Amino acid sequence: MGEAAVEIVKPRTDTREYRRIVLRNSLSVLLIRDPDTDKAAVSMDVSVGSFSDPEDFPGLAHFLEHMLFYASEKYPLEDSYSKYIAENFTARKGHGGSTNAFTSSEHTNYFFDVNSDCFEEALDRFAQFFVKPLMSADATTREIKAVDSENQKNLLSDAWRMNQLRKHISAEGHPYHKFSTGNWDTLEVKPKEKGLDTRQELIKFYKEHYSANLMHLVVYTKDSLDKIQNLVENKFQEVQNKDRSKFHIPGQPCTSEHVQILVKTVPIKQGHKLRVIWPITPSIHNYKEGPCRYLGHLIGHEGEGSLFYILKTLGWATSLSAGEGDWTLKFSFFEVVIDLTDAGQEHMQDIVGLLFKYISLLQETGVCSWIFDELSAICEIAFHYQDKIPPIDYVVNVSSNMQIYPPEDWLVGSSLPSKFSPDLIRKVLDKLAPENVRIFWESRNFEGHTDMVEPWYGTAYSIEKITASMIQQWMLAAPNEHLHLPASNAFIPTDLSLKDVQEKAKFPVLLRKSSYSTLWYKPDTMFSTPKAYVKIDFNCPFATSSPEADVLTGIFTQLLMDHLNEYAYYAQVACLYYAINHTDSGFQVAVIGYNHKLWNLLKTVVEKIANFEVKPDRFLVIKEMITKGYQNLKFQQPYQQALRYCSLILQDNTWPWMDGLEVIPHLEADDLAKFVPMLLSRAFLECYIAGNIEPKEAESMILHIEDIFYSGARPICQPLFPSQYLTNRVIKLDKGMSYFYPAKGLNPSDENSALVHYIQVHRDDFLPNVKLQLFALIAKQPAFHQLRSVEQLGYITVLMQSNYSGIQGVQFIVQSTAKGPGHIDSRIEEFLKMFESKLYAMSEDEFKSNVNALIDMKLEKHKNLREESGFYWREINDGTLKFDRREAEVAALKTLTQKDLTDFFNEHIKVGAPRKKTLSVRVYGGQRTSEYEEEMNEPNQPDWVKIDDIFKFRKSQPLYGSFKGCHGHVKL
């Protein structure tokens, strides 16, 4: 075993300790000690990916990634690894269990996180993936179905379809050309036809490719480096070193026949997209010079004089991005991706001409050292003041870097361009030539005008050859607009000092309250970073008064962002982010980033709102964009459709998207011009300011904003009447009743069906909260194991808590092509019956272990200002204002008995419980229309009611009290 003395470059603010070791079997390891972490995390990156798939077995590397989770010789019980992690994990907000993996072209990455006291056994179980995994014949057959379900989920996704099309139009013998996910046909049917045994091929692939010398391990804990080192040596020394070489990639996948082409293709969703691609030398070989970062920054710029600014002014584009796309060590692509308007779709040649004119401008003006220096300065500040992220994300990032960069740059990666090399930048720029281009043009307009079909996803396309002289003609014919380089960036922070705030408040305090606004304030007492977080919610009663008002408010927020874009883009480049979002109660302004120039940006945003003017040409562009957004909702995954229906049924005073789609064609610029003054005429501002800002600064910001909106002889806004404060009311389901809402999938071509099985439990309160959370924690992994691994109902199988405006519940979410939603509903009920006996059989030690895991979860510290502020903002936004929620729920957990949990289950969750309240939303895929018709004709049972009309149902039900809108309850 060796230990390297190379010094690993780390951020100035990083207090973690790092040690690099290489085990005797050549497995490379980075040990990280963080005494402040609540969790341990591990990632193993294996230099084997889908490029290594045998010709007969597309998807085998990805399938192997699935199979390693099942069992090992040392731990032969199926799924025991996932069960152990799930029972001892600290869940990331909004996600399932903290163990996962992914397969890319050259790598497969496995990772987990766990509470520190359970780390040693978890690490041992994880290590067995790479020592002696078991792959039973039964599990192999079942998991092929899971891979097939995963692929079914992707079949109607434009991102997957277009990615495979770009791969398809490349050299057939090149690994880039392959299909990498796998499906039932490639992993079961075709192998059997050829007399191949999938399980044997899986074992052979594992033995042939998984070798210690191709593995990089990152281990992150609070323990001493010596202790971690001993553990790692002990657990991973048995991983065999077969001294394998990395997969050899045979150069560029695009030959002369795959460049100078225009590919017209038909997407699933509405909208037009232009993707202009050039094969280039990978810039990873020159990551300190960063040639693609420099060129991507300029070609993708959105300030005045940029390519996007010109295309936007002409009304031809709604977004543009540029930079290095797919890359490996041997080949890479530079991509410019442009979302087109309907008008832009008619001007493709002009747009490509303007792009090449901008590239010519870059060649004529030469490479500018001041632009590189500015970029370099921004990158350096971002690196040294980066936020801490969850350990599980950190270890994945670092283990992926270990395969690519020398040890000193494992943490830095490509994030610090520091060597100015005009020659290297020019070399890449010279590659962005007409002779080398691949243009992919997506539009539903091409339906019926294509002559080829991509075999894996069924994407229709056609190919035309284009020549350099044609592109020269397009350049000459393109509009003669004034393209120029960006100005210097005034938003780069120069004052990164920390404010010395005397009041070290643990929770947000109500700093100021008036009839116009409330200001919640929380200084940074945790992160010592020169950043701030500002949210201002404009609560406007007129925003929710009708579907028209709802749509107009959305157009208003989009137009504001559109007006501000060329100014605020510079702030974004300097890591100062803002957004104006449409909300359920009006709209919200958010500004997050370095505090030094934050007020400059916020002030401009607020002034733009106050002085809003409708530009008719931009109104039409935004209206078109929002219309397509509404139309594309029907292409959402069926489980997303089911969640949308569930929300519509439960949340009072919400409008269905179909109403928006109906009203938007009739709205004109004049309607918005009349609406905005009315929207703003009555408003209340709910504000939260946190981070590196003093209380007086925070107050003066809000005073200034109040002054803009509420002062003068004819103020823009007036305060709300007490009757106008907006509430969040949720439908109260009847006790002992099960409701179901059947719906056809909105896209008849999608064969996936979905079910959301929702159990409504209680209004937010600490003791019932922790009972529900404990149930969800204990049931999560068994539900996944039974419904997905054993029964193979579908790749998407989730049990999670739900919170509708403070009304707590739990929901099962399953998406499937194998079974219909009615059948899945019955299987969930069977699972709950099975789980009931497990709950009764649980030992006291097991119960205590789960309680302690939940306590650890609650005591987990926030990683950064954004995460902390998000937690407190949720309390403000919901109106619950329980800033000490975690501490109070820990106290409640410590009083909880096993009987409390079983009583809770028997009352609220158990099948047939007299107080149970259930809502099943069933979305039927294209192949299950007859099942839907049968369900629609079924008569209601006494305790099993079909919802025929969502709005009649909403009106017939009682409502829970609202936490939000009780303005008088907030005391200074």
Side-chain angles (χ1 to χ4, degrees), residues 506-519:
K506 187 180 179 185
F507 300 120
V509 294
L510 186 59
L511 197 60
R512 190 173 177 280
K513 177 186 164 188
S514 73
S515 58
Y516 312 126
S517 72
T518 52
L519 167 58

Side-chain angles (χ1 to χ4, degrees), residues 439-474:
I439 300 175
F440 288 79
W441 188 9
E442 303 167 27
S443 175
R444 296 275 291 269
N445 292 6
F446 299 136
E447 212 159 350
H449 302 285
T450 58
D451 56 2
M452 286 182 267
V453 176
E454 187 280 315
W456 297 107
Y457 290 83
T459 307
Y461 72 100
S462 61
I463 301 179
E464 299 168 22
K465 286 302 275 185
I466 47 174
T467 62
S469 60
M470 285 167 70
I471 290 176
Q472 290 294 338
Q473 288 301 314
W474 297 354

Side-chain angles (χ1 to χ4, degrees), residues 477-604:
N480 194 14
E481 301 288 337
H482 182 44
L483 292 161
H484 60 82
L485 295 179
S488 61
N489 194 332
F491 282 103
I492 299 173
T494 51
D495 179 2
L496 297 162
S497 62
L498 300 180
K499 309 283 172 73
D500 184 22
V501 177
Q502 300 303 311
E503 295 279 324
K504 304 290 183 192
K506 187 180 179 185
F507 300 120
V509 294
L510 186 59
L511 197 60
R512 190 173 177 280
K513 177 186 164 188
S514 73
S515 58
Y516 312 126
S517 72
T518 52
L519 167 58
W520 294 95
Y521 168 74
K522 167 80 174 65
D524 176 12
T525 56
M526 288 275 294
F527 311 110
S528 301
T529 183
K531 296 178 182 177
Y533 181 103
V534 177
K535 283 223 169 162
I536 302 171
D537 239 10
F538 284 74
N539 288 282
C540 306
F542 287 111
T544 58
S545 58
S546 67
E548 285 88 351
D550 191 49
V551 173
L552 285 167
T553 306
I555 296 175
F556 169 62
T557 60
Q558 292 279 338
L559 267 175
L560 282 167
M561 296 275 285
D562 185 71
H563 291 350
L564 283 157
N565 191 62
E566 44 270 16
Y567 166 80
Y569 183 77
Y570 284 94
Q572 185 186 318
V573 169
C575 305
L576 180 56
Y577 303 99
Y578 92 105
I580 305 170
N581 296 314
H582 181 193
T583 66
D584 290 340
S585 56
F587 63 98
Q588 179 191 93
V589 174
V591 186
I592 299 163
Y594 301 114
N595 58 276
H596 182 207
K597 310 281 180 78
L598 182 144
W599 175 235
N600 298 358
L601 177 61
L602 179 57
K603 194 164 49 173
T604 305

Side-chain angles (χ1 to χ4, degrees), residues 156 268 634-636 641 744-751 925-926:
L156 296 177
I268 298 293
K634 77 174 189 179
F635 300 113
Q636 280 187 320
Q641 295 174 32
K744 279 186 189 174
L746 296 169
N747 178 8
S749 305
D750 195 335
E751 295 190 355

Side-chain angles (χ1 to χ4, degrees), residues 841-884:
M842 184 189 291
S843 70
E844 192 176 342
D845 282 351
E846 254 187 295
F847 173 76
K848 283 179 179 170
S849 169
N850 280 301
V851 168
N852 289 335
L854 190 51
I855 287 172
D856 285 346
M857 181 195 302
K858 294 193 172 300
L859 294 178
E860 185 189 342
K861 294 184 282 289
H862 295 297
K863 305 292 175 296
N864 53 58
L865 179 66
R866 187 186 283 244
E867 191 183 294
E868 179 192 77
S869 298
F871 176 84
Y872 291 133
W873 176 254
R874 177 73 185 261
E875 295 292 334
I876 294 164
N877 198 43
D878 280 352
T880 41
L881 301 180
K882 294 172 182 171
F883 299 127
D884 63 345

Side-chain angles (χ1 to χ4, degrees), residues 701-951:
M701 284 182 188
I702 301 309
L703 275 167
H704 183 87
I705 292 167
E706 279 190 6
D707 203 43
I708 288 173
F709 287 103
Y710 294 95
S711 67
R714 298 185 65 189
I716 297 164
C717 300
Q718 291 189 353
L720 299 186
F721 292 111
S723 58
Q724 287 183 298
Y725 283 96
L726 292 162
T727 56
N728 289 338
R729 305 295 299 271
V730 174
I731 301 301
K732 195 183 234 182
L733 302 177
D734 294 336
K735 289 171 187 167
M737 295 297 292
S738 294
Y739 302 91
F740 72 99
Y741 178 71
K744 279 186 189 174
L746 296 169
N747 178 8
S749 305
D750 195 335
E751 295 190 355
N752 288 284
S753 294
L755 171 79
V756 171
H757 180 100
Y758 167 75
I759 303 169
Q760 191 177 70
V761 182
H762 66 276
R763 192 168 182 262
D764 185 55
D765 196 9
F766 296 138
L767 189 58
N769 285 359
V770 297
K771 292 175 187 176
L772 178 66
Q773 290 159 12
L774 193 58
F775 160 72
L777 178 70
I778 296 168
K780 191 184 199 85
Q781 196 280 331
F784 182 85
H785 174 70
Q786 181 61 33
L787 301 173
R788 184 186 180 280
S789 302
V790 176
E791 298 188 27
Q792 286 297 330
L793 293 180
Y795 176 72
I796 295 171
T797 303
V798 180
L799 164 61
M800 63 187 290
Q801 286 165 245
S802 67
N803 178 358
Y804 288 99
S805 303
I807 307 308
Q808 307 288 339
V810 68
Q811 52 196 14
F812 292 82
I813 303 166
V814 181
Q815 181 166 297
S816 178
T817 49
K819 302 289 179 184
H823 175 84
I824 297 167
D825 221 349
S826 69
R827 297 315 303 160
I828 287 169
E829 301 241 308
E830 282 306 308
F831 164 75
L832 287 172
K833 289 175 188 173
M834 189 194 316
F835 180 76
E836 184 181 343
S837 58
K838 285 186 179 178
L839 191 63
Y840 292 148
M842 184 189 291
S843 70
E844 192 176 342
D845 282 351
E846 254 187 295
F847 173 76
K848 283 179 179 170
S849 169
N850 280 301
V851 168
N852 289 335
L854 190 51
I855 287 172
D856 285 346
M857 181 195 302
K858 294 193 172 300
L859 294 178
E860 185 189 342
K861 294 184 282 289
H862 295 297
K863 305 292 175 296
N864 53 58
L865 179 66
R866 187 186 283 244
E867 191 183 294
E868 179 192 77
S869 298
F871 176 84
Y872 291 133
W873 176 254
R874 177 73 185 261
E875 295 292 334
I876 294 164
N877 198 43
D878 280 352
T880 41
L881 301 180
K882 294 172 182 171
F883 299 127
D884 63 345
R885 174 179 299 279
R886 300 196 306 176
E887 293 80 358
E889 289 185 347
V890 166
L893 270 169
K894 288 177 177 174
T895 69
L896 206 62
T897 66
Q898 200 162 343
K899 184 178 182 301
D900 290 334
L901 180 63
T902 51
D903 286 351
F904 170 83
F905 179 85
N906 290 337
E907 188 175 349
H908 296 288
I909 310 292
K910 179 179 174 174
V911 175
R915 293 172 65 86
K916 185 174 181 179
K917 303 182 285 186
T918 306
L919 168 64
S920 291
V921 178
R922 303 173 177 181
V923 172
Y924 288 82
Q927 61 180 350
R928 299 196 181 273
T929 310
S930 59
E931 286 178 39
Y932 168 76
E933 304 294 350
E934 281 172 33
E935 184 137 284
M936 289 301 289
N937 294 323
E938 273 186 24
N940 285 338
Q941 307 297 322
D943 58 351
W944 188 240
V945 176
K946 178 166 84 251
I947 298 171
D948 293 310
D949 183 311
I950 288 175
F951 306 102

